[in-house]
Amino acid sequence: MKSTDFIKKPLFTVDSVLFTVQDNVLKVLMVKRAEAPYRGAWGLPGGFIDIDLDQNTDMTARRKLAAKTGSAPNYLEQLQVFSGLERDPRGFSVTLAYYALVAYQAVASHIETVEMACWIPVSELTELAIAFDHLQIIELARQRLQQKTLYSMIPVFCLPQQFTIGQLMAVIEAIIEKPIQRKSLMRRIEASEIFEVSNEKTTSGGRFAQLYSLKPDANIINFERNLSV
Amino acid sequence: MKSTDFIKKPLFTVDSVLFTVQDNVLKVLMVKRAEAPYRGAWGLPGGFIDIDLDQNTDMTARRKLAAKTGSAPNYLEQLQVFSGLERDPRGFSVTLAYYALVAYQAVASHIETVEMACWIPVSELTELAIAFDHLQIIELARQRLQQKTLYSMIPVFCLPQQFTIGQLMAVIEAIIEKPIQRKSLMRRIEASEIFEVSNEKTTSGGRFAQLYSLKPDANIINFERNLSV
DNA sequence: AAATATAGTGTCACTAGGACACTATGTCAA
DNA sequence: TTGACATAGTGTCCTAGTGACACTATATTT
């Protein structure tokens, strides 16, 4: 291995776009950068692989998320690699971006205790100083999440273990930013066969809503049709 | 930057699964490895980023593919990152895998002149010695290609510029390994609005087949339903 | 001219989602 | 107590895109 290899190796990092839905608004976990470059700007939670700690890049993403949220996300999937000379002032860089989902309730209290980690509505990101190309990464993650919401049930991962259909519907509508038919959602819940019912629950004035939860061994399936756009 | 950073940086490579369809069989471009590890085994075309040559990882994939095929693929997309301590005897490694499509005719003659590059039917891969976890990567790429074939027209990228509906149908059936309805395909060709007609052509005994080609500015769209599985 | 092969169309059935009226069951205020 | 209202959940018809498959069209071959 020549010494030039050292210089020419690109920086490799792992970043995650952690989504949740709170009050019918899609939000992203952002971290205020304490170091250069882009010191003081908001960036995605992430960092370098630690070969001693991480079996693979999934573990890196989980470790970095746990550091900020104190827990593991309900869903984690690779988004895309972003690379190039321009995206980091330190030189050629390669970032593996993940996107992830979590229930707001699961991390809300922990977030408050963490210095400079914050849920930011995706619609308000443009008002902030965002580090690197992270705004672009978030936008792609949002598109992927929207698309996947049209043909799968992944939005359940933005909810606590027990949830009502009304809550699931609200989360879906927050993600795709369009209303959907309650009836269509119920048909899919039945067809997917991955949910089970439990007790009852009441919310803001109205009939009791059935509580659902994911079956323990449930695999998220893909429907063969999209919901209408 | 500490000296330990040097040691602990993972190997980062870019590999591509280049598919084509020849004689109704889905094939992958494999390269016989001339160096350790896995010397003599078959592996995917790929290698390290060259920061001086590559603007980004897409360019790395294209450059490595051009070295083996003499041309650019018709389609190229990121598949997934594979990482871990176990997958490479040299240590912790990270590979960004792409998958790509090309017309057999476009590279057939060049392949023959290249030492140890070869189209291998995906069904015959298990009979060979495959380096690293490349077999697993190819399998995932195949699944992604199959899935995408159900809701898009990407299989056209396995064909030359001009092609008949019969050829497109054959390519699709080779990819998903199921027969499809000619009528369904024609409906999608019309609906997609990305194809245009040209002259005529005859093949093995039968009525002339209309030749189609992709419109110059065509964007591959996704249909809202899958073909039946 | 008939057999055969491939190209392309007409048409009906099926399926899953969209629309929307309707029923069910809770809260709250007069 | 009762009626207005809010949310939960159902019944039913409409629609669009695909599957199935018989049918027509046009070439080659014998």
Side-chain angles (χ1 to χ4, degrees):
Chain A
M1 195 176 270
K2 298 162 294 186
S3 64
T4 53
D5 290 340
F6 174 58
I7 298 299
K8 298 210 172 179
K9 267 193 184 174
L11 288 168
F12 182 79
T13 54
V14 177
D15 292 325
S16 297
V17 184
L18 180 63
F19 290 109
T20 196
V21 172
Q22 184 206 6
D23 295 339
N24 299 331
V25 174
L26 183 65
K27 301 186 176 184
V28 184
L29 185 73
M30 298 298 284
V31 177
K32 200 148 199 171
R33 291 182 59 82
E35 297 172 10
Y38 291 101
R39 180 173 178 163
W42 295 91
L44 293 170
F48 297 96
I49 296 184
D50 184 326
I51 294 180
D52 297 325
L53 292 177
D54 306 326
Q55 289 184 305
N56 51 45
T57 54
D58 286 25
M59 289 302 171
T60 308
R62 288 180 188 281
R63 182 169 54 81
K64 292 293 183 179
L65 282 177
K68 302 297 178 186
T69 66
S71 60
N74 288 335
Y75 185 82
L76 180 75
E77 188 187 331
Q78 282 189 26
L79 176 65
Q80 189 175 297
V81 166
F82 295 79
S83 61
L85 192 55
E86 318 293 336
R87 55 183 302 281
D88 189 322
R90 290 169 291 186
F92 195 104
S93 72
V94 176
T95 287
L96 169 56
Y98 282 80
Y99 70 106
L101 303 176
V102 77
Y104 179 77
Q105 297 85 341
V107 298
S109 59
H110 190 273
I111 289 288
E112 289 168 12
T113 68
V114 172
E115 198 81 23
M116 301 284 92
C118 192
W119 287 117
I120 308 211
V122 288
S123 58
E124 296 174 12
L125 286 167
T126 50
E127 302 163 16
L128 302 175
I130 308 291
F132 307 106
D133 51 0
H134 287 188
L135 189 60
Q136 187 187 330
I137 295 175
I138 295 166
E139 176 54 25
L140 186 71
R142 205 181 105 261
Q143 287 175 20
R144 184 96 128 237
L145 176 61
Q146 284 182 339
Q147 199 55 33
K148 206 144 186 160
T149 296
L150 296 179
Y151 63 81
S152 83
M153 286 293 186
I154 45 165
V156 288
F157 296 120
C158 293
L159 290 170
Q161 279 200 330
Q162 301 234 325
F163 55 90
T164 68
I165 292 185
Q167 290 170 341
L168 179 53
M169 194 167 139
V171 166
I172 292 174
E173 292 182 338
I175 291 172
I176 66 176
E177 298 177 313
K178 308 247 176 184
I180 63 164
Q181 293 280 331
R182 170 186 287 272
K183 180 78 184 188
S184 299
L185 179 56
M186 299 208 61
R187 282 191 283 232
R188 287 192 157 196
I189 286 176
E190 271 201 64
S192 66
E193 296 184 327
I194 57 171
F195 299 100
E196 57 190 11
V197 301
S198 6
N199 315 28
E200 302 277 336
K201 182 192 176 187
T202 179
T203 43
S204 53
R207 168 178 165 179
F208 285 155
Q210 179 64 249
L211 274 175
Y212 288 79
S213 61
L214 264 181
K215 285 183 187 169
D217 58 340
N219 283 324
I220 292 296
I221 61 155
N222 295 337
F223 298 99
E224 297 202 346
R225 296 191 196 182
N226 285 359
L227 294 176
S228 74
V229 283
Chain B
M1 195 177 271
K2 298 161 294 186
S3 63
T4 53
D5 292 339
F6 175 58
I7 299 298
K8 297 210 172 178
K9 267 192 183 175
L11 287 169
F12 182 79
T13 54
V14 176
D15 291 326
S16 298
V17 185
L18 180 64
F19 290 109
T20 196
V21 172
Q22 184 206 8
D23 295 338
N24 299 332
V25 174
L26 183 65
K27 301 187 176 182
V28 185
L29 185 73
M30 298 298 283
V31 177
K32 200 149 200 171
R33 291 182 58 83
E35 297 171 12
Y38 291 101
R39 181 173 176 163
W42 295 91
L44 292 170
F48 297 96
I49 295 185
D50 184 327
I51 294 181
D52 297 324
L53 293 177
D54 305 327
Q55 288 185 306
N56 51 46
T57 54
D58 286 25
M59 289 302 171
T60 308
R62 288 179 189 283
R63 183 169 54 81
K64 292 293 183 178
L65 282 177
K68 301 298 179 187
T69 67
S71 60
N74 289 335
Y75 184 82
L76 179 76
E77 188 187 333
Q78 282 188 26
L79 176 65
Q80 191 177 295
V81 167
F82 295 79
S83 60
L85 191 55
E86 318 293 336
R87 54 184 303 279
D88 188 323
R90 290 169 291 185
F92 196 102
S93 72
V94 176
T95 288
L96 168 56
Y98 281 79
Y99 70 107
L101 303 176
V102 76
Y104 179 77
Q105 297 86 340
V107 298
S109 60
H110 190 271
I111 290 287
E112 288 167 14
T113 68
V114 172
E115 198 80 25
M116 300 286 92
C118 193
W119 287 117
I120 309 219
V122 288
S123 58
E124 295 174 13
L125 286 168
T126 50
E127 301 163 16
L128 302 175
I130 308 290
F132 308 106
D133 52 1
H134 287 188
L135 190 59
Q136 188 186 331
I137 294 176
I138 294 166
E139 177 54 23
L140 187 70
R142 205 180 107 263
Q143 287 176 19
R144 184 97 126 235
L145 176 61
Q146 284 182 338
Q147 199 55 35
K148 205 141 187 162
T149 297
L150 296 179
Y151 62 81
S152 82
M153 286 293 185
I154 46 165
V156 289
F157 296 120
C158 292
L159 291 170
Q161 279 201 330
Q162 301 234 325
F163 56 90
T164 69
I165 291 185
Q167 290 170 338
L168 179 53
M169 195 169 139
V171 167
I172 291 173
E173 292 181 338
I175 292 172
I176 67 176
E177 296 175 316
K178 309 246 174 183
I180 62 165
Q181 293 280 332
R182 172 186 220 86
K183 181 76 184 190
S184 299
L185 178 56
M186 299 208 60
R187 282 190 283 231
R188 287 192 158 197
I189 286 176
E190 272 200 64
S192 67
E193 296 184 325
I194 57 171
F195 298 101
E196 55 189 12
V197 301
S198 4
N199 315 26
E200 302 277 337
K201 182 193 175 186
T202 181
T203 42
S204 51
R207 167 178 165 179
F208 286 155
Q210 179 63 251
L211 276 174
Y212 288 78
S213 61
L214 263 182
K215 284 183 187 170
D217 58 341
N219 283 324
I220 292 296
I221 61 154
N222 295 337
F223 297 100
E224 297 202 347
R225 291 194 200 180
N226 285 0
L227 294 175
S228 75
V229 282

